[in-house]
Amino acid sequence: MSLRKALPLILLAAIAVAPFSTSAQTAPVSLDSCRALALSNNKQLRVRSEAMRMAGYQKKEALAAYLPALDFTGGYMYNQKEISIFDKDQLLPTKTFDPATQSYQFNLVKNPATGEPIKGPDGQYIPETVALIPKEAMTYNIHNVFFGAITLTQPIFMGGKIVAMNRITHYAEELAQAMHNSEAENVIYAVDAAYWQVVSLKAKQKLATSYVALLDTLHRNVQAMVNQGVATRSDLLTVDVKLNQAQVDLTKVDNGLVLSRMALAQVCGLPVNTTLTLADEDSDFVGINAPIARDYNMDEVYSRRQDLRALEAGVQIFKQKERVAMSDMLPKLALVGSYSFSNPNMFNGFSRRFDGAFSVGAMLTIPLWHWGGNYNKYRAAKSQTRMAELELDDAKDLIDLQVSQSAFKAQEAVKTYNMTLANLTKANENLRQANIGFKEGVMTTDNVMEAQTAWLKANSEKIDAQIDVHLCDVYLSKVLGTLPYPTAN
């Protein structure tokens, strides 16, 4: 074959092999490494971390309410018409100083005969001289108006609302931290469950392989006996059926192991086609530590439980919301200062230029009557607090039950494991005796297969008991609040 014809085949082979080679992972991974991977890659944990940052920003926002607020407001307005104070030219009467009365008197038209002022048809005196004020002199151009203000507001007393809001954000930050820690515990427990599932299936894969090897050996022995005429064809077929079933079971275990590795990779935040080789999958993973305690100091358990810390922070938040509701029934006082300016302005006549002035004052708000709305709002806030307290009490009762059940299950898991060890010893001896008896001709094929089945069951139960011991220990640590995890500070 020429190089030109072989090149496409080489490229296709490289493309087909590439995905599998990139997903391979050869170095053994410990349980702690899997935990670290999951904690660094878990998206829900990232959400909780972002919630913590948000709570920190809200805390700073509430703290800023103690400080004066500085605001700028500006705008522009176009008016269609000009503004005029008068509707027409104005004629104003004039006065002259009268030395006799030492006062100013209106200049009025007088009757030459009598010297009395003359009234016009409207009943008003007729002025002798007038001052003319043209309408145009009192007409102002306001087509284009620019305005603005810089305002400084300093809260003095807001009914306790600012203090309550700062406390709310403080407890909200504690709540976010507790939720982050609780999620970290859940992630670690999920990793442990997936990790030990892989270890369990790997051990069962070895067991199933050993069982197939036992049946295969038995098949060869029975075949030899059939050839020698000391066994029947029916005995051989019985072994064949058992061997086929064992091979099917081995295939199921192989498939389950592949799927469990995918699940572990997903929990660790890795691509699902990543093949993780675990440090414990080829070792005797007994790991039974100190005896399980029967009684615990529940006050210490409560203090370590992150979900209870979250509920306690929630209770404190609702208590501060009571203060916020109460503040609506109390007076509020604030200092206000501003500098306002406009163009045109009226500070010194009508001037088409920017000018402004300072103003300082205080603003007091006193609620008088709202038909019970504010009071009912306060009562509703107290009911929310009471609901949160009842939920906290209920959670403590459930934790009492949870700790008792978990400790009992952990104790029973250890007992079960010890019993499986005793059963496995008996099953091993039973299988040994059956093999000896079969070789000596005093045991039948069925007796050997029964012993092999009992041996398989004893080993499988031992593996399940070992895994159950680990999982019960982890879950007990979780409910006791002693499961190690990176705390959020």
Side-chain angles (χ1 to χ4, degrees):
M1 182 183 294
S2 64
L3 179 62
R4 178 175 297 179
K5 293 182 179 180
L7 185 58
L9 298 178
I10 295 173
L11 291 176
L12 288 175
I15 294 173
V17 173
F20 298 96
S21 62
T22 55
S23 63
Q25 187 270 340
T26 56
V29 179
S30 65
L31 178 59
D32 290 337
S33 298
C34 290
R35 288 178 174 181
L37 281 172
L39 291 172
S40 61
N41 296 328
N42 186 266
K43 292 182 175 60
Q44 286 299 317
L45 205 56
R46 293 181 184 178
V47 171
R48 297 300 180 189
S49 298
E50 200 63 37
M52 288 174 52
R53 281 190 284 271
M54 181 184 70
Y57 298 143
Q58 290 175 338
K59 185 177 180 180
K60 294 179 180 178
E61 175 191 359
L63 185 62
Y66 286 114
L67 305 176
L70 186 64
D71 300 294
F72 170 78
T73 304
Y76 163 79
M77 182 178 293
Y78 172 78
N79 298 296
Q80 178 187 4
K81 297 181 180 181
E82 297 179 341
I83 186 172
S84 179
I85 297 177
F86 303 135
D87 60 343
K88 59 183 179 179
D89 294 344
Q90 299 295 311
L91 301 176
L92 301 181
T94 61
K95 287 184 176 183
T96 302
F97 184 74
D98 186 358
T101 61
Q102 294 294 310
S103 63
Y104 286 92
Q105 301 295 327
F106 282 104
N107 297 319
L108 303 176
V109 177
K110 297 180 180 179
N111 189 331
T114 62
E116 293 296 327
I118 298 174
K119 291 184 178 181
D122 57 357
Q124 299 295 326
Y125 291 108
I126 301 173
E128 183 178 12
T129 60
V130 294
L132 173 64
I133 302 178
K135 176 183 177 181
E136 291 78 5
M138 303 300 292
T139 300
Y140 304 104
N141 181 1
I142 59 168
H143 289 309
N144 299 290
V145 178
F146 301 88
F147 56 89
I150 299 176
T151 306
L152 180 70
T153 305
Q154 173 61 61
I156 301 301
F157 178 71
M158 294 288 110
K161 178 179 288 188
I162 296 178
V163 175
M165 291 302 297
N166 274 271
R167 290 176 179 172
I168 285 176
T169 56
H170 170 74
Y171 291 121
E173 190 175 37
E174 290 187 358
L175 173 62
Q177 292 175 351
M179 294 298 291
H180 176 278
N181 296 341
S182 180
E183 185 64 29
E185 288 182 335
N186 294 334
V187 169
I188 290 176
Y189 181 72
V191 170
D192 283 33
Y195 182 92
W196 292 116
Q197 178 71 14
V198 173
V199 173
S200 172
L201 288 174
K202 184 60 184 295
K204 288 189 176 182
Q205 183 189 49
K206 294 179 180 179
L207 177 62
T209 302
S210 300
Y211 183 57
V212 170
L214 286 176
L215 288 173
D216 189 60
T217 301
L218 180 62
H219 177 271
R220 290 196 302 271
N221 293 335
V222 174
Q223 180 67 57
M225 294 174 66
V226 170
N227 294 337
Q228 295 175 1
V230 295
T232 65
R233 185 69 180 170
S234 176
D235 294 332
L236 183 61
L237 291 175
T238 302
V239 176
D240 285 341
V241 171
K242 204 72 172 178
L243 178 60
N244 290 337
Q245 183 61 45
Q247 290 172 341
V248 170
D249 292 340
L250 176 59
T251 302
K252 291 181 179 179
V253 173
D254 291 339
N255 295 336
L257 180 59
V258 172
L259 294 176
S260 64
R261 290 188 191 276
M262 290 182 180
L264 177 61
Q266 191 274 331
V267 172
C268 293
L270 301 174
V272 293
N273 61 342
T274 303
T275 303
L276 293 174
T277 302
L278 307 186
D280 292 305
E281 65 182 46
D282 293 321
S283 60
D284 190 9
F285 51 96
V286 180
I288 298 179
N289 299 322
I292 309 299
R294 296 181 179 273
D295 297 319
Y296 298 93
N297 187 333
M298 294 309 300
D299 290 333
E300 294 181 357
V301 174
Y302 295 153
S303 65
R304 292 191 298 261
R305 286 291 295 258
Q306 297 300 313
D307 48 356
L308 275 189
R309 287 187 58 189
L311 289 175
E312 289 170 352
V315 170
Q316 296 299 325
I317 288 174
F318 283 118
K319 286 183 178 180
Q320 296 306 315
K321 285 186 176 181
E322 291 181 27
R323 297 291 306 274
V324 173
M326 183 183 291
S327 68
D328 292 337
M329 297 185 290
L330 300 176
K332 299 175 182 61
L333 178 64
L335 291 179
V336 179
S338 66
Y339 177 79
S340 304
F341 57 91
S342 65
N343 180 9
N345 69 86
M346 297 291 291
F347 292 108
N348 189 17
F350 186 83
S351 176
R352 294 189 59 80
R353 61 184 180 84
F354 281 103
D355 199 1
F358 288 100
S359 59
V360 179
M363 184 172 61
L364 177 65
T365 302
I366 301 177
L368 296 179
W369 184 253
H370 293 270
W371 302 99
N374 291 338
Y375 180 61
N376 286 317
K377 180 181 178 181
Y378 172 69
R379 294 168 69 183
K382 288 184 70 68
S383 295
Q384 284 185 318
T385 303
R386 183 56 183 160
M387 290 166 56
E389 290 174 344
L390 291 173
E391 289 179 357
L392 177 61
D393 293 340
D394 184 58
K396 288 182 178 180
D397 293 338
L398 292 177
I399 287 175
D400 290 344
L401 177 62
Q402 197 177 45
V403 169
S404 299
Q405 289 179 339
S406 300
F408 177 78
K409 289 180 180 179
Q411 294 164 2
E412 292 302 309
V414 174
K415 292 180 182 178
T416 302
Y417 173 72
N418 292 330
M419 287 189 291
T420 58
L421 290 180
N423 291 339
L424 181 59
T425 302
K426 296 177 182 178
N428 288 333
E429 180 62 20
N430 183 38
L431 179 61
R432 190 181 70 84
Q433 295 291 342
N435 288 328
I436 293 174
F438 181 74
K439 290 178 181 179
E440 294 178 354
V442 296
M443 290 281 189
T444 65
T445 305
D446 291 337
N447 296 137
V448 175
M449 288 191 296
E450 288 176 1
Q452 290 175 341
T453 302
W455 174 85
L456 176 66
K457 181 181 179 182
N459 276 279
S460 180
E461 290 177 346
K462 172 181 171 289
I463 294 171
D464 290 337
Q466 285 176 311
I467 297 299
D468 197 35
V469 167
H470 283 283
L471 293 180
C472 287
D473 181 64
V474 173
Y475 187 70
L476 180 59
S477 298
K478 183 176 182 293
V479 300
L480 292 176
T482 58
L483 189 65
Y485 59 90
T487 58
N489 297 317

